[in-house]
Amino acid sequence: MGFFSKDIKTLDDLFVHTLRDIYYAEKQIEKALPKMIDKATNAQLKAGFEKHLEQTRGHIERVEEVFELHGVKAKAIDCPAIDGILEEADEVSGDIADKEVMDAALIASARAVEHYEMTRYGTLIAWAKQLGRSDCANVLAKNLKEEQATDRKLTEMAESKINLQAAE
Ligand SMILES: [Fe+2]
Ligand SMILES: [Fe+2]
């Protein structure tokens, strides 16, 4: 089902559709992170991915909570956008032999993932509020906060020693 499916008529439909999109995305991220943990060399990066895998499992549970609050079935729908980001991450990192360059590539891919999640949660929170679902918005805001914190940590790593080492 494409984003502009005929099944979407109201803002509520769009909200549920996008919730199912991020539900799929979070599940794909849960599957992708162990591979990224394996490929990472820098201890700080590895630990960061491990922590975010735990958080991602929590994100899935919170999205399920929002489905329940909103009274709709928890269902995932294919999200080609996150599939593309994760496929590209896999392809790029598959070609890199140098460990430090690999870490730099993993950080870049992870930042793309976090930004995708941030746009989705930001949008969902705005729509939830417009729909009078501040209860849903509050739960979604917890996920957004963790994505933002993860992105900040990745940004710091990208701007500090990991990329400098890769340039040597
Ligand atoms: Fe997430
Ligand atoms: Fe994330």
Side-chain angles (χ1 to χ4, degrees):
M1 186 162 70
F3 191 77
F4 296 104
S5 161
K6 284 180 187 136
D7 298 335
I8 301 169
K9 291 186 178 70
T10 64
L11 186 64
D12 195 287
D13 295 338
L14 193 57
F15 175 73
V16 172
H17 177 91
T18 307
L19 201 58
R20 288 177 171 154
D21 171 302
I22 193 68
Y23 189 46
Y24 174 87
E26 291 283 14
K27 287 180 164 206
Q28 294 305 109
I29 295 163
E30 186 194 18
K31 275 191 230 163
L33 272 167
K35 285 184 256 172
M36 295 171 84
I37 293 167
D38 280 348
K39 286 178 183 173
T41 302
N42 179 281
Q44 195 192 347
L45 182 61
K46 224 183 220 316
F49 282 154
E50 274 162 5
K51 185 182 172 197
H52 202 55
L53 175 58
E54 278 313 303
Q55 288 179 329
T56 297
R57 292 183 176 132
H59 297 172
I60 293 169
E61 283 174 20
R62 285 200 194 112
V63 173
E64 286 168 351
E65 196 185 328
V66 174
F67 279 122
E68 212 178 302
L69 283 170
H70 201 55
V72 290
K73 208 174 136 218
K75 202 174 89 179
I77 47 164
D78 285 1
C79 167
I82 196 72
D83 282 341
I85 292 171
L86 293 172
E87 266 165 39
E88 195 182 89
D90 219 37
E91 268 171 38
V92 171
S93 62
D95 292 336
I96 303 172
D98 184 292
K99 288 181 167 60
E100 275 132 22
V101 177
M102 170 69 96
D103 282 349
L106 290 169
I107 291 173
S109 300
R111 287 182 73 190
V113 171
E114 294 317 308
H115 278 254
Y116 179 78
E117 291 181 290
M118 281 153 56
T119 65
R120 283 298 187 242
Y121 284 121
T123 298
L124 282 164
I125 291 164
W127 287 342
K129 285 180 184 163
Q130 284 171 39
L131 291 165
R133 301 307 310 242
S134 55
D135 52 346
C136 296
N138 290 341
V139 177
L140 293 163
K142 290 180 194 167
N143 283 6
L144 177 61
K145 218 174 150 192
E146 288 180 355
E147 313 296 13
Q148 286 167 332
T150 302
D151 181 60
R152 272 197 297 276
K153 270 187 234 156
L154 288 163
T155 305
E156 275 166 30
M157 280 190 253
E159 287 167 357
S160 66
K161 62 178 187 289
I162 295 185
N163 276 12
L164 289 176
Q165 283 163 354
E168 275 167 14

